[in-house]
Amino acid sequence: QVQLVESGGGLAQAGGSLTLSCAASGSIFRLNVMGWYRQAPGKERELVAEINHAGIITYGDSMEGRFTLSQDTAKKMVSLQMTTLKPEDTAVYYCHARITDWAYVVNEYWGPGTQVTVSS
């Protein structure tokens, strides 16, 4: 069993900053991919940023440059620093991980989501 615990989020003004963190725990042999997606009302869930086991980071469209993803491998944690926030960044942000467990089974996991609201 794997759990993803999210922290951070909340309310920010346009131009401000927020940091989201997500920690994975449980039966984890390898973190294949870990990162963040977001879903705004009436829109599809989209990639914000993710990092793979080789340390390669992929950002969603219009995210790179404003958002920075970092990883603490030992703590099995990723942090997303969001700067120069815009009202259109308002969404529920979900931690996501693709994990190989100790039985060498690969599964996808999602956190419960954390609300980010950016006021103009």
Side-chain angles (χ1 to χ4, degrees), residues 54-112:
I56 297 172
I57 299 174
T58 302
Y59 290 94
D61 293 343
S62 78
M63 313 292 181
E64 193 165 11
R66 296 192 301 124
F67 294 180
T68 302
L69 185 70
S70 60
Q71 184 180 41
D72 184 329
T73 305
K75 294 181 179 179
K76 298 182 178 62
M77 176 182 290
V78 292
S79 293
L80 180 70
Q81 183 177 18
M82 304 184 291
T83 64
T84 321
L85 285 164
K86 304 175 182 180
E88 50 264 43
D89 293 318
T90 295
V92 178
Y93 285 68
Y94 296 92
C95 181
H96 167 260
R98 185 179 305 124
I99 291 170
T100 302
D101 65 22
W102 287 102
Y104 303 109
V105 174
V106 180
N107 282 305
E108 308 271 347
Y109 297 91
W110 293 91

Side-chain angles (χ1 to χ4, degrees), residues 4-8 21-23 36 93-96 110-114:
L4 300 179
V5 178
E6 302 163 341
S7 60
S21 294
C22 177
W36 292 90
Y93 285 68
Y94 296 92
C95 181
H96 167 260
W110 293 91
T114 184

Side-chain angles (χ1 to χ4, degrees), residues 33-44:
V33 173
M34 192 170 182
W36 292 90
Y37 284 71
R38 71 183 186 185
Q39 187 166 20
K43 295 187 177 181
E44 294 185 352

Side-chain angles (χ1 to χ4, degrees), residues 8-27:
L11 179 65
Q13 292 187 333
S17 302
L18 284 173
T19 299
L20 307 180
S21 294
C22 177
S25 63
S27 177

